Amino acid sequence: MIPVYAGKRLIFQKSDPRLRRRVKGFEPEQISVSLSTSYDSVWISWITGEFQIGDRIKPLDPKTVSSIVRYGRLRNSLSHEATGYSLVYNQLYPFEGLKNYTSGIIHHVRLTGLKPNTQYYYQCGDPSISAMSDITYFRTMPVSGPQSYPKRIAIVGDLGLTDNTSTTIGHLISNEPDLVLLVGDVTYANLYLTNGTGSDCYSCSFSQTPIHETYQPRWDYWGRFMQNLVSKTPIMVVEGNHEIEEQAGNKTFAAYSSRFAFPSEESGSSSSFYYSFNAGGIHFIMLGAYIAYNKSSDQFKWLERDLANFDRSITPWLVAAWHPPWYSSYIAHYREAECMRVEMEELLYSYGVDIVFNGHVHAYERSNRVYNYTLDPCGPVYITVGDGGNREKMAIKHADEPGKCPEPLTTPDTYMGGFCATNFSHGPAAGNFCWDRQPDYSAFRESSFGHGILETEFEPYGLCLAKLSLNCTVKNETWALWTWYRNQDSHNKIGDQIYIVRQLDRCPVHYTPQKLIASS
């Protein structure tokens, strides 16, 4: 029997001390660090001034507060200074009874010329009005190379602000990650009316509104709650469906695109929805599932260029991430992203993507290496970690259980294109829409909250014994260690663990862009 731990979904209220605004005037809050494309550059982001929500709002003027970061390698000598840019975004609902929102001033500053694997101290704000943050610190990524890696990378999805979120982040911090990947669904602000009332029932609470409203202050609460972690540990985010947040004028993703800094321009992307970056010997590709991804799209063309230009001799590991999974055996969102898989899977497979991280399904699942629903030693390992702490229900039922297979036409997502999930044409599920047992591609699945840690520098005990070495650390392009931690366990107890091994001699990378382009 599969263990299930959904836990009580206690939602953080705005009166919670962890969500309160603790600064005065235009002092910085919601401070965070994110990476640029390589070790020598990072982004520092923060917010000054108070948000407004109501019938009458007056946006702050970003020009009134400077965007300055002072930094250096010594705490008492912040000898470098960088300036950036600032903005304000609005979430507008010009309908009677719905409240509009305008953010505080959001600042983004890029630091350049940094040394690899080095701790830097910094403070941000506007010194001309005595509005500077406390001094804090971050550590840059190692230099990119086949034997150079961050020690621990935390992977988490579908966070929100619940007691489960708090446990997840507490356990995650105890694992001391060097980098955090958040694979979509950040705050769940769109599960609230603009008066702050929350609901799990879309049709009940939003049926009479002319547009699906959101309660934007949840973003500010989330930024305050996360600051202790992300002001010191870089966080890289990709959008989920709860970030769509439609507003007047058919505008979407305003909060997501404004609040985070993305290395889009640095990685040759024209969009905050897809970008890439290096963390030591790992090349990360972050993809957008809720914008065009077909072979004629800007995203697909960018992906082709990015894959063609990355150097596997420098960054041997290739890791991709986006929100909705292609390979999931849960009923929730079953084969929902099939159109994206049909368009992009061959390209990613041809370049030998090693691992794919997804969220969206509120459970944990790890696949065997798979390509086109067939076990393939050269396919990626797909890992779903949509179990960070969301305020919705935990996914429990599987599509392979008797009588649980969903009707095919109920599976597409309206934001992800048309219907592509036809019956299987080969393998054990041939002629059917669902498997009649746990699919071959599904290696491990469990309905529990948690987070994962990816390590490419670790000490595998068995290998060390084989080498008769007392100091045996794997730091190469062949081995990675994946560990999933469940919230109901102590922070150091393992829920799932596997060595992911790249077979370089068995899986050479072959790709001919002209062939794929011609077939589109």
Side-chain angles (χ1 to χ4, degrees):
M1 187 173 180
I2 298 173
V4 175
Y5 181 79
K8 296 180 180 179
R9 291 181 296 115
L10 297 178
I11 313 302
F12 286 5
Q13 302 301 317
K14 64 180 180 180
S15 59
D16 191 301
R18 294 167 291 186
L19 311 186
R20 292 176 186 168
R21 188 171 187 263
R22 297 177 176 273
V23 299
K24 299 178 180 180
F26 287 97
E27 294 174 348
E29 65 160 352
Q30 304 180 50
I31 303 168
S32 65
V33 183
S34 55
L35 302 179
S36 185
T37 49
S38 60
Y39 69 83
D40 60 353
S41 178
V42 304
W43 286 91
I44 307 294
S45 303
W46 69 95
I47 294 180
T48 56
E50 298 189 55
F51 68 79
Q52 303 165 52
I53 186 166
D55 300 322
R56 298 178 181 179
I57 58 173
K58 184 180 180 180
L60 298 172
D61 182 359
K63 296 179 182 178
T64 60
V65 183
S66 298
S67 308
I68 295 174
V69 176
R70 290 175 173 170
Y71 63 101
R73 296 166 67 179
L74 300 175
R75 186 182 184 90
N76 58 358
S77 180
L78 305 183
S79 55
H80 301 281
E81 184 174 289
T83 60
Y85 68 95
S86 60
L87 65 125
V88 167
Y89 82 89
N90 304 313
Q91 190 81 14
L92 301 177
Y93 305 105
F95 308 104
E96 184 178 354
L98 304 190
K99 298 180 180 181
N100 294 321
Y101 171 93
T102 184
S103 70
I105 301 172
I106 302 171
H107 304 261
H108 299 299
V109 177
R110 186 183 175 200
L111 314 186
T112 59
L114 306 177
K115 303 293 183 183
N117 200 27
T118 300
Q119 183 163 294
Y120 283 86
Y121 295 91
Y122 75 96
Q123 64 177 168
C124 57
D126 185 346
S128 70
I129 57 173
S130 300
M132 295 292 285
S133 70
D134 292 337
I135 297 174
T136 188
Y137 59 88
F138 65 87
R139 178 170 289 276
T140 55
M141 290 294 104
V143 65
S144 292
Q147 294 188 337
S148 178
Y149 300 95
K151 290 184 178 179
R152 297 182 190 90
I153 300 170
I155 318 293
V156 67
D158 302 66
L159 270 178
L161 280 172
T162 70
D163 59 335
N164 291 309
T165 309
S166 181
T167 303
T168 296
I169 296 302
H171 285 190
L172 187 154
I173 290 174
S174 70
N175 277 317
E176 300 180 343
D178 302 293
L179 172 65
V180 176
L181 246 63
L182 174 51
V183 291
D185 283 1
V186 180
T187 70
Y188 291 85
N190 71 333
L191 292 185
Y192 293 79
L193 300 163
T194 57
N195 63 10
T197 302
S199 175
D200 290 327
C201 177
Y202 280 38
S203 60
C204 303
S205 296
F206 300 95
S207 59
Q208 302 303 316
T209 58
I211 193 170
H212 184 121
E213 57 197 291
T214 78
Y215 186 62
Q216 288 296 297
R218 298 298 293 187
W219 281 95
D220 296 282
Y221 303 157
W222 189 88
R224 293 165 187 165
F225 174 77
M226 292 291 289
Q227 178 176 307
N228 184 53
L229 169 63
V230 299
S231 63
K232 304 178 183 68
T233 305
I235 183 169
M236 305 303 286
V237 183
V238 71
E239 78 280 2
N241 58 298
H242 284 275
E243 280 71 75
I244 296 173
E245 297 187 318
E246 295 175 277
Q247 59 172 300
N250 297 319
K251 189 173 183 180
T252 55
F253 294 104
Y256 166 82
S257 299
S258 301
R259 290 177 178 267
F260 298 108
F262 306 95
S264 300
E265 183 177 349
E266 301 102 278
S267 61
S269 167
S270 60
S271 171
S272 59
F273 303 120
Y274 52 90
Y275 59 90
S276 65
F277 64 95
N278 291 338
I282 309 173
H283 185 66
F284 284 94
I285 297 171
M286 312 291 274
L287 297 177
Y290 301 98
I291 59 170
Y293 45 69
N294 57 293
K295 293 181 176 65
S296 62
S297 67
D298 290 341
Q299 179 174 204
F300 192 93
K301 293 174 182 177
W302 168 84
L303 179 59
E304 283 189 310
R305 292 193 302 270
D306 189 86
L307 290 170
N309 289 329
F310 99 96
D311 188 340
R312 202 135 206 170
S313 68
I314 297 174
T315 51
W317 286 90
L318 181 57
V319 175
W322 58 88
H323 186 57
W326 294 349
Y327 291 95
S328 171
S329 61
Y330 287 87
I331 291 176
H333 309 298
Y334 181 69
R335 301 182 72 183
E336 181 179 283
E338 191 74 358
C339 289
M340 184 183 182
R341 185 193 69 80
V342 169
E343 292 291 331
M344 286 188 156
E345 186 177 28
E346 182 181 357
L347 177 60
L348 295 177
Y349 175 79
S350 297
Y351 271 100
V353 170
D354 299 298
I355 311 170
V356 172
F357 291 109
N358 305 115
H360 201 41
V361 176
H362 297 160
Y364 172 74
E365 187 164 18
R366 170 176 54 81
S367 82
N368 294 305
R369 289 188 176 273
V370 61
Y371 171 63
N372 194 24
Y373 289 104
T374 302
L375 297 185
D376 188 318
C378 301
V381 173
Y382 290 83
I383 299 174
T384 298
V385 285
D387 56 348
N390 67 87
R391 61 158 296 163
E392 296 177 303
K393 296 179 180 179
M394 175 66 73
I396 297 174
K397 298 178 181 178
H398 304 112
D400 51 85
E401 296 175 18
K404 301 300 182 182
C405 182
E407 287 295 323
L409 292 179
T410 66
T411 60
D413 185 308
T414 55
Y415 291 99
M416 293 196 63
F419 177 73
C420 299
T422 56
N423 285 353
F424 293 103
S425 59
H426 61 277
N432 298 312
F433 189 68
C434 300
W435 294 59
D436 60 3
R437 55 179 169 79
Q438 183 170 355
D440 291 346
Y441 62 76
S442 177
F444 183 90
R445 58 191 185 184
E446 184 175 321
S447 298
S448 294
F449 289 104
H451 76 285
I453 296 289
L454 179 67
E455 299 175 76
T456 44
E457 177 181 331
F458 55 90
E459 298 179 1
Y461 181 69
L463 289 180
C464 293
L465 286 180
K467 294 183 178 181
L468 300 178
S469 170
L470 296 178
N471 183 18
C472 173
T473 301
V474 172
K475 297 175 65 174
N476 60 39
E477 63 269 33
T478 307
W479 291 73
L481 178 64
W482 167 255
T483 307
W484 174 63
Y485 297 91
R486 305 186 310 173
N487 280 9
Q488 69 265 38
D489 299 327
S490 62
H491 69 84
N492 59 356
K493 184 178 179 181
I494 293 169
D496 181 39
Q497 189 173 70
I498 186 174
Y499 291 119
I500 299 174
V501 184
R502 297 181 60 235
Q503 303 181 73
L504 305 178
D505 54 341
R506 189 175 183 181
C507 302
V509 177
H510 298 294
Y511 176 61
T512 306
Q514 292 78 11
K515 178 182 177 181
L516 287 179
I517 293 172
S519 64
S520 64

